[in-house]
Short mmCIF file of all heavy atoms in Angstrom, two decimals:
data_model
loop_
_atom_site.label_atom_id
_atom_site.label_comp_id
_atom_site.label_asym_id
_atom_site.label_seq_id
_atom_site.Cartn_x
_atom_site.Cartn_y
_atom_site.Cartn_z
N MET B 1 0.82 -1.18 0.00
CA MET B 1 0.00 0.00 0.00
C MET B 1 0.87 1.26 0.00
O MET B 1 0.62 2.18 -0.76
CB MET B 1 -0.91 -0.02 1.23
CG MET B 1 -1.88 1.12 1.27
SD MET B 1 -3.10 0.85 2.56
CE MET B 1 -2.59 2.06 3.74
N ILE B 2 1.89 1.27 0.83
CA ILE B 2 2.76 2.45 0.90
C ILE B 2 3.49 2.65 -0.42
O ILE B 2 3.69 3.77 -0.86
CB ILE B 2 3.76 2.32 2.08
CG1 ILE B 2 2.99 2.44 3.39
CG2 ILE B 2 4.85 3.37 1.99
CD1 ILE B 2 3.82 2.20 4.62
N LEU B 3 3.87 1.56 -1.08
CA LEU B 3 4.60 1.67 -2.34
C LEU B 3 3.77 2.33 -3.43
O LEU B 3 4.32 2.88 -4.38
CB LEU B 3 5.07 0.29 -2.81
CG LEU B 3 6.09 -0.39 -1.92
CD1 LEU B 3 6.37 -1.80 -2.42
CD2 LEU B 3 7.36 0.40 -1.83
N ASN B 4 2.45 2.29 -3.32
CA ASN B 4 1.58 2.87 -4.34
C ASN B 4 1.30 4.35 -4.11
O ASN B 4 0.72 5.00 -4.96
CB ASN B 4 0.25 2.11 -4.40
CG ASN B 4 0.42 0.75 -5.03
OD1 ASN B 4 1.23 0.57 -5.92
ND2 ASN B 4 -0.34 -0.21 -4.55
N ILE B 5 1.71 4.89 -2.99
CA ILE B 5 1.43 6.30 -2.68
C ILE B 5 2.36 7.18 -3.49
O ILE B 5 3.57 7.00 -3.52
CB ILE B 5 1.61 6.55 -1.17
CG1 ILE B 5 0.56 5.76 -0.40
CG2 ILE B 5 1.52 8.04 -0.86
CD1 ILE B 5 0.73 5.78 1.09
N GLU B 6 1.75 8.13 -4.18
CA GLU B 6 2.54 9.05 -5.00
C GLU B 6 2.44 10.49 -4.48
O GLU B 6 2.85 11.42 -5.16
CB GLU B 6 2.09 8.96 -6.45
CG GLU B 6 2.39 7.61 -7.04
CD GLU B 6 2.07 7.51 -8.52
OE1 GLU B 6 1.80 8.54 -9.16
OE2 GLU B 6 2.12 6.40 -9.03
N ASN B 7 1.94 10.68 -3.29
CA ASN B 7 1.82 11.99 -2.68
C ASN B 7 3.17 12.36 -2.08
O ASN B 7 3.61 11.81 -1.08
CB ASN B 7 0.73 11.95 -1.60
CG ASN B 7 0.54 13.26 -0.89
OD1 ASN B 7 1.50 13.95 -0.58
ND2 ASN B 7 -0.71 13.59 -0.61
N ASP B 8 3.85 13.31 -2.71
CA ASP B 8 5.20 13.68 -2.28
C ASP B 8 5.24 14.18 -0.85
O ASP B 8 6.20 13.93 -0.12
CB ASP B 8 5.79 14.73 -3.22
CG ASP B 8 6.12 14.16 -4.59
OD1 ASP B 8 6.29 12.93 -4.71
OD2 ASP B 8 6.21 14.95 -5.54
N ASN B 9 4.21 14.91 -0.43
CA ASN B 9 4.17 15.42 0.93
C ASN B 9 4.12 14.28 1.94
O ASN B 9 4.84 14.28 2.93
CB ASN B 9 2.95 16.34 1.11
CG ASN B 9 2.91 16.98 2.48
OD1 ASN B 9 3.93 17.37 3.02
ND2 ASN B 9 1.72 17.09 3.05
N PHE B 10 3.30 13.28 1.67
CA PHE B 10 3.21 12.12 2.56
C PHE B 10 4.53 11.37 2.61
O PHE B 10 5.02 11.00 3.68
CB PHE B 10 2.08 11.18 2.11
CG PHE B 10 1.98 9.95 2.96
CD1 PHE B 10 1.36 9.99 4.19
CD2 PHE B 10 2.53 8.75 2.54
CE1 PHE B 10 1.27 8.85 4.99
CE2 PHE B 10 2.44 7.62 3.31
CZ PHE B 10 1.82 7.67 4.55
N ILE B 11 5.12 11.16 1.45
CA ILE B 11 6.40 10.44 1.39
C ILE B 11 7.47 11.19 2.18
O ILE B 11 8.25 10.60 2.91
CB ILE B 11 6.85 10.21 -0.07
CG1 ILE B 11 5.88 9.22 -0.74
CG2 ILE B 11 8.28 9.70 -0.14
CD1 ILE B 11 6.07 9.08 -2.23
N GLN B 12 7.48 12.53 2.07
CA GLN B 12 8.44 13.32 2.81
C GLN B 12 8.21 13.20 4.31
O GLN B 12 9.16 13.08 5.09
CB GLN B 12 8.38 14.79 2.39
CG GLN B 12 9.46 15.65 3.03
CD GLN B 12 10.87 15.18 2.68
OE1 GLN B 12 11.17 14.99 1.52
NE2 GLN B 12 11.70 14.99 3.67
N ARG B 13 6.95 13.19 4.73
CA ARG B 13 6.64 13.06 6.15
C ARG B 13 7.09 11.70 6.68
O ARG B 13 7.65 11.61 7.78
CB ARG B 13 5.15 13.27 6.39
CG ARG B 13 4.77 14.73 6.24
CD ARG B 13 3.30 15.04 6.36
NE ARG B 13 2.59 14.22 7.31
CZ ARG B 13 1.31 13.89 7.19
NH1 ARG B 13 0.61 14.30 6.14
NH2 ARG B 13 0.71 13.15 8.09
N VAL B 14 6.88 10.65 5.90
CA VAL B 14 7.32 9.31 6.31
C VAL B 14 8.84 9.26 6.37
O VAL B 14 9.42 8.73 7.31
CB VAL B 14 6.76 8.23 5.36
CG1 VAL B 14 7.40 6.87 5.64
CG2 VAL B 14 5.25 8.14 5.48
N THR B 15 9.48 9.84 5.37
CA THR B 15 10.94 9.87 5.34
C THR B 15 11.48 10.62 6.56
O THR B 15 12.42 10.14 7.22
CB THR B 15 11.44 10.55 4.05
OG1 THR B 15 10.94 9.83 2.94
CG2 THR B 15 12.95 10.59 3.99
N ASP B 16 10.91 11.77 6.86
CA ASP B 16 11.35 12.54 8.02
C ASP B 16 11.14 11.76 9.31
O ASP B 16 12.00 11.76 10.20
CB ASP B 16 10.60 13.87 8.10
CG ASP B 16 10.97 14.82 6.98
OD1 ASP B 16 12.02 14.60 6.32
OD2 ASP B 16 10.20 15.78 6.75
N PHE B 17 10.00 11.08 9.40
CA PHE B 17 9.72 10.27 10.59
C PHE B 17 10.77 9.18 10.76
O PHE B 17 11.30 8.97 11.85
CB PHE B 17 8.32 9.64 10.49
CG PHE B 17 8.03 8.66 11.58
CD1 PHE B 17 7.66 9.11 12.83
CD2 PHE B 17 8.16 7.30 11.38
CE1 PHE B 17 7.39 8.22 13.86
CE2 PHE B 17 7.90 6.40 12.39
CZ PHE B 17 7.52 6.86 13.64
N ILE B 18 11.08 8.48 9.67
CA ILE B 18 12.06 7.40 9.74
C ILE B 18 13.42 7.94 10.14
O ILE B 18 14.12 7.35 10.96
CB ILE B 18 12.13 6.64 8.40
CG1 ILE B 18 10.83 5.86 8.19
CG2 ILE B 18 13.33 5.69 8.37
CD1 ILE B 18 10.69 5.26 6.80
N ARG B 19 13.78 9.07 9.56
CA ARG B 19 15.10 9.65 9.89
C ARG B 19 15.18 10.09 11.35
O ARG B 19 16.25 10.04 11.96
CB ARG B 19 15.39 10.82 8.96
CG ARG B 19 15.74 10.40 7.58
CD ARG B 19 16.09 11.58 6.72
NE ARG B 19 16.49 11.14 5.39
CZ ARG B 19 16.37 11.86 4.30
NH1 ARG B 19 15.86 13.06 4.34
NH2 ARG B 19 16.76 11.37 3.13
N ASN B 20 14.07 10.57 11.88
CA ASN B 20 14.07 11.11 13.25
C ASN B 20 13.74 10.08 14.31
O ASN B 20 13.96 10.31 15.49
CB ASN B 20 13.09 12.28 13.35
CG ASN B 20 13.54 13.46 12.53
OD1 ASN B 20 14.72 13.73 12.41
ND2 ASN B 20 12.60 14.16 11.93
N GLU B 21 13.20 8.95 13.89
CA GLU B 21 12.79 7.91 14.83
C GLU B 21 14.03 7.20 15.39
O GLU B 21 14.90 6.76 14.64
CB GLU B 21 11.88 6.90 14.14
CG GLU B 21 11.37 5.82 15.05
CD GLU B 21 10.44 6.32 16.14
OE1 GLU B 21 9.86 7.40 16.00
OE2 GLU B 21 10.32 5.62 17.15
N GLU B 22 14.08 7.12 16.67
CA GLU B 22 15.17 6.40 17.31
C GLU B 22 14.63 5.07 17.81
O GLU B 22 14.19 4.95 18.94
CB GLU B 22 15.74 7.21 18.46
CG GLU B 22 16.44 8.48 18.02
CD GLU B 22 17.10 9.18 19.19
OE1 GLU B 22 17.85 8.52 19.92
OE2 GLU B 22 16.85 10.37 19.36
N SER B 23 14.65 4.09 16.93
CA SER B 23 14.16 2.79 17.35
C SER B 23 15.29 1.78 17.33
O SER B 23 16.24 1.90 16.58
CB SER B 23 13.01 2.34 16.45
OG SER B 23 13.46 2.18 15.14
N ASP B 24 15.14 0.78 18.15
CA ASP B 24 16.18 -0.22 18.30
C ASP B 24 16.42 -1.04 17.03
O ASP B 24 17.52 -1.51 16.81
CB ASP B 24 15.84 -1.16 19.44
CG ASP B 24 15.83 -0.46 20.78
OD1 ASP B 24 16.46 0.60 20.90
OD2 ASP B 24 15.21 -0.99 21.70
N PHE B 25 15.38 -1.21 16.20
CA PHE B 25 15.55 -2.06 15.03
C PHE B 25 16.67 -1.56 14.13
O PHE B 25 17.38 -2.34 13.52
CB PHE B 25 14.23 -2.19 14.23
CG PHE B 25 14.04 -1.13 13.19
CD1 PHE B 25 14.49 -1.34 11.89
CD2 PHE B 25 13.44 0.07 13.50
CE1 PHE B 25 14.33 -0.37 10.92
CE2 PHE B 25 13.27 1.04 12.54
CZ PHE B 25 13.71 0.82 11.24
N TRP B 26 16.85 -0.24 14.02
CA TRP B 26 17.87 0.31 13.14
C TRP B 26 19.26 -0.17 13.56
O TRP B 26 20.08 -0.52 12.73
CB TRP B 26 17.81 1.84 13.14
CG TRP B 26 18.78 2.46 12.19
CD1 TRP B 26 19.98 3.04 12.49
CD2 TRP B 26 18.65 2.55 10.76
NE1 TRP B 26 20.59 3.48 11.34
CE2 TRP B 26 19.80 3.20 10.28
CE3 TRP B 26 17.68 2.14 9.87
CZ2 TRP B 26 19.99 3.44 8.93
CZ3 TRP B 26 17.88 2.39 8.53
CH2 TRP B 26 19.02 3.04 8.07
N ASN B 27 19.48 -0.18 14.84
CA ASN B 27 20.78 -0.61 15.36
C ASN B 27 21.02 -2.10 15.16
O ASN B 27 22.15 -2.56 15.18
CB ASN B 27 20.91 -0.26 16.83
CG ASN B 27 20.88 1.24 17.05
OD1 ASN B 27 21.35 2.01 16.22
ND2 ASN B 27 20.31 1.65 18.17
N GLU B 28 19.95 -2.86 14.95
CA GLU B 28 20.08 -4.29 14.73
C GLU B 28 20.36 -4.64 13.27
O GLU B 28 20.73 -5.77 12.97
CB GLU B 28 18.80 -5.00 15.19
CG GLU B 28 18.59 -4.90 16.69
CD GLU B 28 17.26 -5.48 17.14
OE1 GLU B 28 16.66 -6.24 16.37
OE2 GLU B 28 16.84 -5.16 18.26
N LEU B 29 20.21 -3.67 12.38
CA LEU B 29 20.47 -3.91 10.96
C LEU B 29 21.97 -3.85 10.69
O LEU B 29 22.70 -3.12 11.35
CB LEU B 29 19.77 -2.84 10.11
CG LEU B 29 18.25 -2.80 10.18
CD1 LEU B 29 17.73 -1.61 9.38
CD2 LEU B 29 17.64 -4.09 9.68
N SER B 30 22.38 -4.60 9.70
CA SER B 30 23.79 -4.56 9.31
C SER B 30 24.06 -3.24 8.59
O SER B 30 23.13 -2.54 8.15
CB SER B 30 24.13 -5.72 8.39
OG SER B 30 23.49 -5.54 7.13
N ALA B 31 25.32 -2.90 8.46
CA ALA B 31 25.70 -1.67 7.76
C ALA B 31 25.20 -1.69 6.33
O ALA B 31 24.74 -0.66 5.81
CB ALA B 31 27.21 -1.49 7.82
N SER B 32 25.26 -2.84 5.67
CA SER B 32 24.79 -2.92 4.28
C SER B 32 23.28 -2.76 4.20
O SER B 32 22.76 -2.14 3.27
CB SER B 32 25.24 -4.22 3.62
OG SER B 32 24.66 -5.33 4.25
N GLU B 33 22.53 -3.29 5.17
CA GLU B 33 21.08 -3.11 5.19
C GLU B 33 20.71 -1.65 5.41
O GLU B 33 19.83 -1.10 4.75
CB GLU B 33 20.44 -3.98 6.28
CG GLU B 33 20.48 -5.46 5.99
CD GLU B 33 20.09 -6.32 7.18
OE1 GLU B 33 20.38 -5.95 8.34
OE2 GLU B 33 19.48 -7.38 6.93
N GLN B 34 21.43 -0.99 6.32
CA GLN B 34 21.20 0.43 6.55
C GLN B 34 21.50 1.24 5.30
O GLN B 34 20.75 2.15 4.94
CB GLN B 34 22.06 0.92 7.72
CG GLN B 34 21.62 0.40 9.06
CD GLN B 34 22.51 0.87 10.19
OE1 GLN B 34 23.44 1.66 10.00
NE2 GLN B 34 22.23 0.40 11.40
N ALA B 35 22.58 0.89 4.62
CA ALA B 35 22.95 1.60 3.39
C ALA B 35 21.90 1.43 2.31
O ALA B 35 21.57 2.39 1.59
CB ALA B 35 24.32 1.12 2.90
N GLU B 36 21.34 0.24 2.19
CA GLU B 36 20.29 -0.01 1.19
C GLU B 36 19.04 0.81 1.49
O GLU B 36 18.42 1.35 0.57
CB GLU B 36 19.94 -1.49 1.12
CG GLU B 36 21.00 -2.33 0.44
CD GLU B 36 21.19 -1.98 -1.03
OE1 GLU B 36 20.17 -1.78 -1.73
OE2 GLU B 36 22.34 -1.90 -1.47
N ILE B 37 18.66 0.89 2.75
CA ILE B 37 17.49 1.68 3.13
C ILE B 37 17.75 3.16 2.83
O ILE B 37 16.90 3.85 2.27
CB ILE B 37 17.13 1.46 4.61
CG1 ILE B 37 16.61 0.03 4.79
CG2 ILE B 37 16.11 2.49 5.09
CD1 ILE B 37 16.45 -0.40 6.23
N LYS B 38 18.92 3.64 3.20
CA LYS B 38 19.26 5.04 2.92
C LYS B 38 19.25 5.32 1.43
O LYS B 38 18.79 6.37 0.98
CB LYS B 38 20.62 5.39 3.53
CG LYS B 38 20.59 5.47 5.04
CD LYS B 38 21.98 5.76 5.60
CE LYS B 38 21.97 5.78 7.11
NZ LYS B 38 23.30 6.01 7.68
N LYS B 39 19.76 4.38 0.65
CA LYS B 39 19.77 4.53 -0.80
C LYS B 39 18.33 4.60 -1.33
O LYS B 39 18.02 5.43 -2.19
CB LYS B 39 20.51 3.35 -1.44
CG LYS B 39 20.57 3.41 -2.95
CD LYS B 39 21.31 2.19 -3.51
CE LYS B 39 21.27 2.17 -5.02
NZ LYS B 39 21.92 0.96 -5.55
N GLY B 40 17.45 3.76 -0.82
CA GLY B 40 16.05 3.77 -1.24
C GLY B 40 15.37 5.09 -0.92
O GLY B 40 14.63 5.64 -1.74
N ILE B 41 15.62 5.61 0.27
CA ILE B 41 15.05 6.91 0.65
C ILE B 41 15.58 8.01 -0.25
O ILE B 41 14.83 8.88 -0.71
CB ILE B 41 15.34 7.20 2.13
CG1 ILE B 41 14.55 6.23 3.02
CG2 ILE B 41 15.00 8.66 2.48
CD1 ILE B 41 14.93 6.28 4.48
N GLU B 42 16.87 7.96 -0.55
CA GLU B 42 17.48 8.94 -1.43
C GLU B 42 16.85 8.88 -2.83
O GLU B 42 16.57 9.91 -3.45
CB GLU B 42 18.98 8.67 -1.51
CG GLU B 42 19.80 9.78 -2.10
CD GLU B 42 21.28 9.46 -2.00
OE1 GLU B 42 21.81 9.48 -0.87
OE2 GLU B 42 21.90 9.19 -3.04
N GLN B 43 16.61 7.67 -3.32
CA GLN B 43 15.99 7.51 -4.64
C GLN B 43 14.58 8.08 -4.63
O GLN B 43 14.17 8.75 -5.57
CB GLN B 43 15.97 6.05 -5.05
CG GLN B 43 17.34 5.52 -5.41
CD GLN B 43 17.35 4.01 -5.62
OE1 GLN B 43 16.53 3.28 -5.05
NE2 GLN B 43 18.29 3.54 -6.43
N LEU B 44 13.82 7.84 -3.56
CA LEU B 44 12.48 8.41 -3.46
C LEU B 44 12.54 9.93 -3.42
O LEU B 44 11.73 10.61 -4.05
CB LEU B 44 11.76 7.88 -2.21
CG LEU B 44 11.28 6.44 -2.27
CD1 LEU B 44 10.76 6.00 -0.91
CD2 LEU B 44 10.21 6.29 -3.33
N ASP B 45 13.49 10.46 -2.66
CA ASP B 45 13.66 11.92 -2.59
C ASP B 45 13.95 12.51 -3.96
O ASP B 45 13.57 13.65 -4.25
CB ASP B 45 14.79 12.30 -1.63
CG ASP B 45 14.42 12.08 -0.16
OD1 ASP B 45 13.22 11.92 0.14
OD2 ASP B 45 15.35 12.07 0.67
N ASN B 46 14.62 11.75 -4.82
CA ASN B 46 14.96 12.20 -6.16
C ASN B 46 13.87 11.88 -7.19
O ASN B 46 14.07 12.05 -8.38
CB ASN B 46 16.29 11.59 -6.61
CG ASN B 46 17.45 12.12 -5.82
OD1 ASN B 46 17.46 13.27 -5.40
ND2 ASN B 46 18.46 11.29 -5.60
N GLY B 47 12.73 11.36 -6.71
CA GLY B 47 11.62 11.07 -7.61
C GLY B 47 11.76 9.78 -8.38
O GLY B 47 11.03 9.52 -9.32
N GLN B 48 12.69 8.95 -7.99
CA GLN B 48 12.92 7.67 -8.67
C GLN B 48 12.05 6.61 -8.01
O GLN B 48 12.40 6.08 -6.96
CB GLN B 48 14.39 7.27 -8.60
CG GLN B 48 15.31 8.26 -9.26
CD GLN B 48 16.76 7.95 -8.98
OE1 GLN B 48 17.12 7.49 -7.91
NE2 GLN B 48 17.60 8.20 -9.97
N ARG B 49 10.89 6.34 -8.64
CA ARG B 49 9.96 5.37 -8.08
C ARG B 49 9.53 4.39 -9.14
O ARG B 49 9.49 4.71 -10.32
CB ARG B 49 8.69 6.06 -7.59
CG ARG B 49 8.91 7.07 -6.55
CD ARG B 49 7.56 7.61 -6.10
NE ARG B 49 7.80 8.67 -5.17
CZ ARG B 49 7.53 9.94 -5.43
NH1 ARG B 49 6.95 10.28 -6.53
NH2 ARG B 49 7.82 10.85 -4.55
N ILE B 50 9.17 3.22 -8.70
CA ILE B 50 8.55 2.22 -9.55
C ILE B 50 7.29 1.80 -8.82
O ILE B 50 7.33 1.47 -7.64
CB ILE B 50 9.47 1.00 -9.78
CG1 ILE B 50 10.76 1.42 -10.47
CG2 ILE B 50 8.74 -0.07 -10.59
CD1 ILE B 50 11.78 0.31 -10.61
N SER B 51 6.17 1.83 -9.52
CA SER B 51 4.92 1.47 -8.86
C SER B 51 4.93 0.00 -8.48
O SER B 51 5.61 -0.82 -9.09
CB SER B 51 3.73 1.77 -9.77
OG SER B 51 3.67 0.82 -10.82
N TYR B 52 4.16 -0.31 -7.47
CA TYR B 52 4.04 -1.69 -7.00
C TYR B 52 3.55 -2.59 -8.13
O TYR B 52 4.04 -3.70 -8.30
CB TYR B 52 3.09 -1.73 -5.80
CG TYR B 52 2.90 -3.09 -5.20
CD1 TYR B 52 3.95 -3.73 -4.53
CD2 TYR B 52 1.69 -3.74 -5.29
CE1 TYR B 52 3.79 -4.98 -3.97
CE2 TYR B 52 1.52 -5.00 -4.73
CZ TYR B 52 2.56 -5.61 -4.07
OH TYR B 52 2.39 -6.86 -3.52
N LYS B 53 2.62 -2.08 -8.91
CA LYS B 53 2.07 -2.84 -10.04
C LYS B 53 3.18 -3.18 -11.05
O LYS B 53 3.25 -4.31 -11.54
CB LYS B 53 0.98 -2.03 -10.72
CG LYS B 53 0.27 -2.75 -11.82
CD LYS B 53 -0.86 -1.89 -12.40
CE LYS B 53 -1.57 -2.60 -13.53
NZ LYS B 53 -2.65 -1.79 -14.08
N ASP B 54 4.06 -2.22 -11.35
CA ASP B 54 5.16 -2.48 -12.27
C ASP B 54 6.13 -3.53 -11.72
O ASP B 54 6.64 -4.36 -12.47
CB ASP B 54 5.92 -1.19 -12.59
CG ASP B 54 5.13 -0.24 -13.46
OD1 ASP B 54 4.16 -0.68 -14.11
OD2 ASP B 54 5.50 0.96 -13.50
N VAL B 55 6.36 -3.48 -10.43
CA VAL B 55 7.25 -4.48 -9.79
C VAL B 55 6.63 -5.87 -9.94
O VAL B 55 7.31 -6.82 -10.32
CB VAL B 55 7.50 -4.15 -8.31
CG1 VAL B 55 8.21 -5.29 -7.60
CG2 VAL B 55 8.28 -2.85 -8.17
N LEU B 56 5.34 -5.97 -9.66
CA LEU B 56 4.67 -7.27 -9.80
C LEU B 56 4.71 -7.77 -11.23
O LEU B 56 4.92 -8.96 -11.48
CB LEU B 56 3.22 -7.17 -9.32
CG LEU B 56 3.02 -7.01 -7.83
CD1 LEU B 56 1.53 -6.91 -7.50
CD2 LEU B 56 3.64 -8.16 -7.06
N ASN B 57 4.55 -6.87 -12.19
CA ASN B 57 4.61 -7.26 -13.60
C ASN B 57 6.00 -7.77 -13.98
O ASN B 57 6.13 -8.70 -14.77
CB ASN B 57 4.22 -6.09 -14.51
CG ASN B 57 2.74 -5.80 -14.46
OD1 ASN B 57 1.94 -6.67 -14.13
ND2 ASN B 57 2.37 -4.57 -14.80
N LYS B 58 7.04 -7.17 -13.41
CA LYS B 58 8.41 -7.59 -13.73
C LYS B 58 8.73 -8.97 -13.16
O LYS B 58 9.49 -9.72 -13.76
CB LYS B 58 9.42 -6.57 -13.19
CG LYS B 58 9.47 -5.32 -13.99
CD LYS B 58 10.54 -4.38 -13.45
CE LYS B 58 10.55 -3.09 -14.25
NZ LYS B 58 11.61 -2.19 -13.81
N ILE B 59 8.16 -9.29 -11.99
CA ILE B 59 8.51 -10.58 -11.39
C ILE B 59 7.55 -11.69 -11.78
O ILE B 59 7.79 -12.84 -11.45
CB ILE B 59 8.59 -10.48 -9.85
CG1 ILE B 59 7.25 -10.06 -9.23
CG2 ILE B 59 9.70 -9.54 -9.44
CD1 ILE B 59 7.24 -10.13 -7.73
N SER B 60 6.49 -11.36 -12.47
CA SER B 60 5.53 -12.39 -12.90
C SER B 60 6.00 -13.12 -14.11
O SER B 60 6.65 -12.68 -14.95
CB SER B 60 4.17 -11.76 -13.20
OG SER B 60 3.65 -11.17 -12.05
#
């Protein structure tokens, strides 16, 4: 559901929340997992998105 949202304001709010949230799960991730998440957020910030429907079509 979140992957289908194209509202930039909402995406920015979620991104800000994730960046500001101090939760234990982040510390449990490996450095490479953290880097992948940061890369994904950066791509979203740059408008680089693929709809969920397109992803499903590619893997079908």
Side-chain angles (χ1 to χ4, degrees):
M1 184 169 108
I2 290 174
L3 295 175
N4 288 326
I5 295 173
E6 294 185 11
N7 179 320
D8 290 338
N9 184 39
F10 178 80
I11 292 171
Q12 186 60 51
R13 287 176 35 211
V14 170
T15 301
D16 292 344
F17 173 79
I18 291 170
R19 286 183 177 153
N20 293 324
E21 183 65 22
E22 293 186 51
S23 63
D24 294 339
F25 89 91
W26 184 258
N27 296 327
E28 294 175 17
L29 297 175
S30 69
S32 64
E33 290 170 326
Q34 290 178 4
E36 287 295 318
I37 291 170
K38 288 178 183 178
K39 180 181 175 183
I41 292 171
E42 195 174 290
Q43 289 171 333
L44 286 173
D45 288 345
N46 292 327
Q48 299 171 324
R49 300 183 185 112
I50 298 174
S51 73
Y52 182 68
K53 185 177 179 180
D54 289 342
V55 171
L56 289 179
N57 288 336
K58 286 183 181 183
I59 61 172
S60 298

